[in-house]
Amino acid sequence: MGPPGAGKGTQARVVADHFGIPAISTGDIFRANVSQGTPLGQKAQEFMDAGEYVPDEVTNLMVRNRIDEPDASPGFLLDGYPRTLAQVEELDGMVAFTGHRLDAVVVLIVDQNELVARLLQRAQSEGRADDTEEVIRRRQEVYGEQTEPLIGVYRQRGIVQEIDGMGEVDDVTKRIFDALDVVPQS
Ligand code: B4P
């Protein structure tokens, strides 16, 4: 978990490779559907372009279907999900059904100015529709209102690993591995 620009996508791929499990990024799945013009992509695009969350019922069904795929049966890493309380509750049901449990919730902590700088930089290199200054601001607000409070829910369960997300990508990765090394795996 972490605000837009914290490095979730960047770190998720490396961490998932290390554990031999898939990194499931809801943002990536939505973007792939948008670029292919699928019905799911058509539903998601207007929300994403405005910096709003895609409705829970759409997102939850998509994650449920993805977790059901065979490559996720040994375990999985979720990047960008859950982002709302309804998604937390839905995920609890999905995880219970698979017989797994959530081993850890990794939270990346990054200064506000650095977040905006990273996303504006990505706007130049990748041209994502939701990386304009106005939409970035809206995404930060939505994160603060809907997602940040969820960290408290997972903290109460004792599974939160807060990681300093500032500095070089490799240094952040090392901090994540150091934190996960001591977490028992289900
Ligand atoms: P995401 O794709 O998850 O977008 P994001 O929050 O911006 O995170 P991202 O992973 O891209 O950024 P990262 O920090 O890795 O979601 C996009 C949209 O999809 C949402 O706004 C929403 O509309 C929808 N959506 C997704 N999930 C949803 C859900 N569960 N419910 C409802 N709607 C949902 O990287 C940012 C940049 O920083 C990159 O360019 C990277 O190279 C750079 N970077 C990373 N680490 C760095 C470091 N240490 N130093 C310098 N740069 C770094």
Side-chain angles (χ1 to χ4, degrees):
M1 298 180 87
K8 300 184 296 291
T10 307
Q11 298 296 335
R13 283 181 278 276
V14 188
V15 174
D17 271 359
H18 175 83
F19 287 103
I21 53 175
I24 300 175
S25 159
T26 40
D28 282 353
I29 302 175
F30 284 136
R31 278 186 291 280
N33 278 275
V34 168
S35 67
Q36 290 157 20
T38 67
L40 174 64
Q42 284 162 13
K43 273 190 209 151
Q45 183 162 25
E46 62 175 301
F47 296 100
M48 295 175 76
D49 287 355
E52 304 294 338
Y53 286 165
V54 179
D56 286 331
E57 58 275 19
V58 177
T59 310
N60 286 336
L61 182 63
M62 187 179 83
V63 173
R64 184 178 285 278
N65 289 338
R66 179 64 188 85
I67 284 176
D68 275 347
E69 287 181 29
D71 66 334
S73 69
F76 46 83
L77 185 156
L78 291 164
D79 160 20
Y81 183 94
R83 273 169 143 111
T84 65
L85 193 55
Q87 293 180 13
V88 168
E89 289 164 359
E90 188 77 12
L91 178 61
D92 284 340
M94 290 183 219
V95 170
F97 187 74
T98 62
H100 288 292
R101 62 179 164 77
L102 290 180
D103 295 319
V105 173
V106 175
V107 178
L108 295 174
I109 316 275
V110 174
D111 291 352
Q112 183 76 20
N113 289 344
E114 170 71 9
L115 293 172
V116 175
R118 286 183 188 178
L119 294 177
L120 290 175
Q121 166 81 33
R122 184 171 67 186
Q124 286 184 342
S125 58
E126 293 179 25
R128 249 173 68 167
D130 59 350
D131 277 343
T132 64
E133 199 160 349
E134 191 191 344
V135 178
I136 290 170
R137 208 171 302 122
R138 180 61 194 146
R139 285 160 60 206
Q140 307 283 4
E141 275 173 15
V142 172
Y143 175 82
E145 287 161 11
Q146 298 199 46
T147 306
E148 204 168 20
L150 307 180
I151 297 169
V153 174
Y154 286 122
R155 196 175 283 124
Q156 281 185 342
R157 299 187 193 180
I159 55 172
V160 167
Q161 299 289 336
E162 281 180 307
I163 306 291
D164 175 6
M166 298 288 286
E168 297 296 321
V169 170
D170 290 350
D171 292 337
V172 179
T173 306
K174 173 148 191 340
R175 286 175 211 139
I176 296 174
F177 285 148
D178 286 348
L180 292 182
D181 265 353
V182 295
V183 170
Q185 289 178 44
S186 59

